[in-house]
Amino acid sequence: MKLHRLSRNPANLITKLEFRSRVSPIKYQGISRLKQWDRTFMSEFLDRRWALTSPDTKIHRVKLNIDELQQQTEENETCGYSFLNDTRPSLGYDMMKERQGPSFYVVRDDLLHPLVNGNKARKLDGLLPLIEDYRVTDVVTCGGCQSAHAAAVAVSCAERGLASHLLLRGEQPDIPTGYNLITTMYGNAIYVPRSLYAKREEMLSGHADFVAGSTGSVIWFSDILNESFTTKNSKEANSVPVYSKCVISGSNAENRQRKVIIINEGAGDFAGLLGFIRLVEYLSQDHIFGKEQPLKIVVDCGTGTTAVGLGLGAICFGLPWEITGVMLADTIEGYRKQEKRLISDFKRFCCSQEMDQSLSGANDSIVHWVDRTNPRKFGNVLKGEIETCQKIAQQSGILLDPVYTLAAWEQAIRLCRREASSSKGDAKVLMLHTGGTLGMFGLAQRYKSSFYTLKK
């Protein structure tokens, strides 16, 4: 189903809920929801150039077998179901009127691009245009051997005529596969010993200086944000002096003046939030989920940037949406620290007093952080998880990876069960598919024994 974007006309965005918010602030989970004029401000704030032509995404609805649902126990609540994928679900007002059985929605961001999809595409949505405005010639970033971020940067840079330099942690595999193969094909992959990789800032800076040479220049992406990002007029970023973009050709390639930019691992900067706020604005249109329908959104978390971006978007547009982030790479203290840093950056760059007040409630906590349903050591891929992903793929046509997106799927089922058994049960459950499916190839290479069972 192709979902079309409505015109961004503030007059068309006013609902009864928004009209009431002009008179008095509305509270949701201890956090003030923004007034209508601040929502208009956010629409103007997002009126900029993007990497993605449109924020559109496919939305599917996954139905659970009711008979099996009644047989599940609390201890085994995410296993043993069969699934049915509805690729043309009712949305908008039809969704609110329809009486639905146990089900949840899946935002299919894994279908955005064959190689750059999921949360990596959303993070780069607002970031890449800022890089292009600065007319850089080279991009330096880092990640693990099977880093989806490194692959996304490599592909995106190649599509825009930029050279990418990807510093990958660890040893070079005998046969590249998955994201490692894509990174190698599209960019310049450099394998870095783990001892050096531990000092990321020093490593990135040193390699960027090497790429720039004696005549080039180096800038961190965070410096671009500090210098050029403004909410008064998003196009003012283009007024910052930049070097002319040089064309790489023949013998001039080594003599050209290089302008090198450094992007942090995972693109976990303020600009990485913009794509998710843009996604929230899109999903909150009346013909999709609207602004009054309560939603419980589940997302798997590496750095946590995706969850924080969704949470900020929900607050900025005054939505009764709850964001659940499934923690997979850090402790809850680490995620809350990251959340606090990103919110602080958002306040600083937005410069809105009303927004600052709205984000001051509930100790600035806008995401409900949870452990995955069946806690296990991160990266310890088990045969059972592989088989579960196989079953889901065969029944629903949705491919998950056993580490990240499967964890979000499990949490969505848990919330779906709770809503089905609740006397209210008015909230819809939504899972954001963050992509990562190419990582299956890397996992199969690393955990060969866990994939043997698929032979049958």
Side-chain angles (χ1 to χ4, degrees), residues 273 308 312 338-348 359 363-366:
L273 301 171
V308 174
L312 284 170
Q338 168 77 339
E339 177 184 16
K340 185 176 181 180
R341 180 184 70 83
L342 290 172
I343 292 176
S344 177
D345 288 346
F346 185 78
K347 290 179 181 179
R348 179 160 58 95
L359 292 170
N363 298 319
D364 283 354
S365 180
I366 60 176

Side-chain angles (χ1 to χ4, degrees), residues 2 14 46 48 53 95 103 163 165 192 207 213 260 266 285 302 311 313 329 376 421-422 438 443:
K2 182 65 174 177
I14 300 176
L46 296 176
R48 61 181 64 253
T53 304
M95 172 193 67
S103 63
H165 309 267
V192 180
H207 192 74
V260 184
Q285 294 179 101
R376 65 210 68 160
S421 60
S422 171
L438 276 179
L443 292 173

